Every structure is written in structure tokens, then in C-alpha cells.
Amino acid sequence: MSNPQEISTRWQQNDWKDMFKHVLGKQVELIDGQIKCLKSSRKRTSVWKLMITNHIQSLPVVLKIYKTPLKQNHEVEINMYEKANQLFQKFMPKLYGIERNDDEIWMFFEYVQPLRGQIKLVPKHLEKIIPTVAKFHAHTFESHYLPYKDTFDAWVPPYHSKEKNREKTKHIEKTKKYLDEGMKDRTIRKMLEPHYDVLQRILQKGPIFFPEVVEAGQSLIHGDLHIHNISCHNASEDSDWKIRFVDWESVKYAPVWFDLVVLVEILLDFRGDWQKNAEEIRKKCVHAYSEEMKKYGITFSTDPLILLKMTYLQRTLEKKLSNHIRRVLRGEKSLLLTKYLQKIKDWGKELDLY
């Protein structure tokens, strides 16, 4: 999608320099030689880093290009920037402007340096991120969502509804199908067989395996809160990191603990070097989040550590397990499947799923 030459040409044709007058205080120019593609996915979106200058100072800018017709998740992200940027200005990059034409939408927003590349991530860094996550959730937690309900309900997907539960049920049926297919493959069978009977029993209890997860409270959540989607202006140890989240395509109104599962538990699944201290890391992160939420008058009647485990299993059983079994059936690798299976076994027993 697009290329540096096309971006430069469109910049001139559309006179986009006027979009940034209020940013640098003077009319700006695009530095043609510093247009860099950061990401391109399946010809649906591409992300570019541009440099603009007023000849006194320069400023990096992100350009995200969407191909039309838009997918739902792309509509959600654009709406987050257009309709919710003021509400969430402390949590997301500033929007500079949006240009629409028949086949593409070009959105320009603030470049905030990715956290990765500034630091070598260690567990204590999660406790620097979690206060911002809690503050973001508190903005629209339960009754705090009501003043914005009419605006958000038009485009923010809900997690808990009859329609969404039907979708979850379809994914669970696919999981059962893939389990049976996997049992016919000699290699995959070795992985699945020790868990097969327990999984079949557990899957009958869906699609909501733990009502406590929904009852604990919902808000707008980021939905894909892994480290690659976290940026900050300055990640030095003694500074206020001023965290900003990027890639808002997965936003939904959903149980708040889903964001903690991705930020903490999925990261633990990937970080083999953290495994020996996983329980300590998990407890510290859960405590940090719960204490931050208390500052906004939000408490949880269920043990927060139990809520994290419940939400991990709910997320896994309702869709992720299906996706990862399908991957291995296709001959692809899955770094998470063995983790999913083991935690379903261990935590499922602990939480009386079987």
C-alpha cells in the first residue's frame, strides 16, 4: 500500500502542510528522504513514519493508511482517534488530521517512541505501565461509561451480548472439531491426548465459563495490550513514562481483566526466562492493578488473582484455543498452545471447571 514517492506526491497535492501549522507553530514541509514504512499488513493497512520540519525543528509523525471498504476493527480505531481522542488524550497519541478519498483513508497522528528499544524489559517495568492501564479503565468503568454510552454504543463492540455469546459458541464448536481432527494426526495427538477428555468436559460449560469475570466490571479496554503496543516519551528509570497506547483496532466494551491477561499473563507465557518467578510477578502485577483501581473507588469482590486466572481461561477457551489448534493442524507453529493446555489443566482444576 503506497510508497514514499506516492506519499510525497499526495502531500504536495493535498497541501497537508497546513494540517501541522498548530503543531510546530509555522508552516512545515515533509522531509522526502525520511519516509519509513513501519508496518504493512495484507494490503489492508500500512503504517509510516514521516519527518516534518519548519526549518528550525523537526517532528516525527505517524501516517496510517487504511484501504476501503474498512474492516470493523479499522472503523473502531479511526473512531477512537476521531471521536474519543479528547476523552483519552492521556492514553493515546494526538490526532493531527484525517483525509478520506474513495479507496483509502489517511490518518496522521503523533509519533510516540515505542517502549521496546528504549529499555530491556524486566518484570518491574510492568508496574510502571499498570497505573496507566488502571486509569484508562477507570474512565469508562461501569457507571462511568454511561455519559458516553450513546457515542460509543454506535461503534464499540460489546463483549457480553446474545449475539457475541453465539459467536463464542461457534468458536467453541470449532474447538471441538479441531480437537477431533488433531487426534487423528500422530504428532498432534501426542500433544492433545493427555488433555482431550478434560477439554471436552470443560467446553460443554461455555460460552461463559466464569460469570465472575463479567460481574467484576467492564469498561472500554484496549484489547491487544502487549508490549509492542505500548509507547512512552521517556522510559528512563526516574521519569514519568507518560505511557501512550497504540494500535486501537481491538477496542471493545469488555471485562477489564482481559487487558491484564494480555499485558501480564501472555507475556509470561512467552518469556521463558521469567518462568521461575512467574507466580511472584503475577501477584505483584495483580496487586498493583487492584491498588490503582482503588484510587478511583473501584474494588473487586472476587480475589483479583483468581480473576486473572479466570479471565485467562475464559479468553483461551472461548477463542484462542481454537485458533492455535487450527494453526498446528495447518502445519504452523504455536508457541502458546502447550501453555494453554497446561494452564487449562492446572487452573481448570483449581477453579472447579472439572
Side-chain angles (χ1 to χ4, degrees):
M1 289 178 64
S2 298
N3 55 62
Q5 181 58 49
E6 183 182 355
I7 291 170
S8 181
T9 300
R10 288 212 190 183
W11 178 280
Q12 301 300 329
Q13 289 174 344
N14 292 281
D15 213 24
W16 281 330
K17 61 182 181 294
D18 293 336
M19 190 186 298
F20 299 94
K21 281 184 180 179
H22 67 287
V23 181
L24 290 178
K26 293 184 178 182
Q27 200 167 64
V28 304
E29 293 181 7
L30 175 68
I31 303 176
D32 290 337
Q34 296 189 39
I35 301 174
K36 180 182 180 183
C37 184
L38 300 179
K39 185 179 180 182
S40 183
S41 64
R42 300 179 184 177
K43 298 183 179 180
R44 300 303 307 175
T45 63
S46 60
V47 183
W48 300 80
K49 181 181 178 183
L50 316 180
M51 290 296 295
I52 61 174
T53 181
N54 62 6
H55 301 291
I56 297 173
Q57 62 184 121
S58 298
L59 181 75
V61 171
V62 174
L63 164 62
K64 187 163 185 176
I65 303 174
Y66 305 84
K67 197 78 173 175
T68 58
L70 295 175
K71 296 173 65 177
Q72 183 189 31
N73 59 326
H74 298 155
E75 290 179 349
V76 167
E77 181 170 51
I78 291 170
N79 280 324
M80 279 297 292
Y81 277 95
E82 276 198 300
K83 300 178 180 179
N85 198 248
Q86 282 297 108
L87 175 63
F88 297 125
Q89 59 184 319
K90 294 182 179 179
F91 312 107
M92 62 192 304
K94 298 174 186 174
L95 174 67
Y96 294 138
I98 295 181
E99 292 284 343
R100 290 177 166 84
N101 57 44
D102 291 338
D103 61 342
E104 289 180 342
I105 295 175
W106 291 36
M107 183 166 69
F108 299 86
F109 53 89
E110 177 186 18
Y111 174 82
V112 185
Q113 191 173 354
L115 187 58
R116 296 200 102 156
Q118 294 191 63
I119 59 168
K120 181 179 179 181
L121 190 70
V122 296
K124 68 178 181 180
H125 290 139
L126 295 177
E127 296 175 60
K128 298 270 282 186
I129 299 166
I130 284 170
T132 304
V133 179
K135 190 173 184 179
F136 166 60
H137 288 165
H139 262 57
T140 55
F141 186 86
E142 294 293 330
S143 62
H144 296 172
Y145 178 77
L146 296 178
Y148 317 105
K149 181 177 174 63
D150 290 343
T151 298
F152 288 137
D153 276 1
W155 51 271
V156 170
Y159 171 79
H160 192 52
S161 66
K162 289 183 179 179
E163 180 183 353
K164 293 299 179 182
N165 283 346
R166 282 195 293 269
E167 288 181 15
K168 295 180 184 71
T169 299
K170 287 182 181 179
H171 278 289
I172 290 168
E173 291 305 312
K174 287 181 181 178
T175 306
K176 295 176 185 177
K177 173 188 170 185
Y178 296 148
L179 279 169
D180 287 337
E181 290 179 12
M183 291 291 283
K184 297 174 185 176
D185 181 287
R186 183 182 302 174
T187 303
I188 301 173
R189 182 186 180 97
K190 290 180 181 179
M191 184 191 310
L192 296 180
E193 189 169 25
H195 307 275
Y196 179 84
D197 291 340
V198 166
L199 284 170
Q200 291 290 0
R201 287 162 54 193
I202 289 174
L203 290 170
Q204 301 304 321
K205 299 184 177 184
I208 301 299
F209 299 91
F210 298 103
E212 298 93 331
V213 171
V214 176
E215 293 163 2
Q218 300 185 86
S219 75
L220 258 67
I221 67 168
H222 181 278
D224 194 19
L225 205 57
H226 57 73
I227 292 299
H228 290 287
N229 287 335
I230 299 174
S231 299
C232 72
H233 291 286
N234 181 1
S236 62
E237 290 295 327
D238 57 351
S239 72
D240 175 2
W241 280 15
K242 295 182 180 178
I243 295 288
R244 298 292 183 270
F245 305 128
V246 299
D247 196 353
W248 291 86
E249 295 182 5
S250 300
V251 166
K252 56 183 68 68
Y253 185 76
V256 293
W257 287 91
F258 277 99
D259 273 345
L260 268 292
V261 166
V262 177
L263 177 64
V264 178
E265 203 59 43
I266 300 301
L267 181 59
L268 283 171
D269 283 346
F270 277 113
R271 292 295 300 258
D273 55 329
W274 292 9
Q275 287 303 306
K276 65 178 181 180
N277 297 317
E279 187 64 18
E280 178 186 356
I281 296 166
R282 184 180 297 123
K283 287 180 178 178
K284 283 186 176 180
C285 289
V286 164
H287 178 75
Y289 178 73
S290 302
E291 290 301 304
E292 286 294 323
M293 292 295 270
K294 283 181 184 178
K295 295 178 182 178
Y296 306 104
I298 299 166
T299 57
F300 302 103
S301 57
T302 302
D303 181 340
L305 185 60
I306 295 297
L307 281 172
L308 180 74
K309 293 179 178 181
M310 286 179 170
T311 309
Y312 179 96
L313 293 187
Q314 178 67 47
R315 179 181 182 272
T316 302
L317 291 165
E318 72 184 29
K319 187 174 183 179
K320 298 301 178 181
L321 182 61
S322 169
N323 291 347
H324 284 261
I325 296 175
R326 182 178 59 183
R327 283 186 190 179
V328 297
L329 285 170
R330 291 175 173 175
E332 302 170 13
K333 291 184 178 180
S334 169
L335 297 174
L336 289 177
L337 183 54
T338 55
K339 298 290 185 182
Y340 286 156
L341 294 171
Q342 190 61 47
K343 285 183 177 177
I344 291 170
K345 178 183 177 182
D346 295 344
W347 291 354
K349 186 72 171 178
E350 177 185 343
L351 301 173
D352 295 323
L353 265 186
Y354 69 95

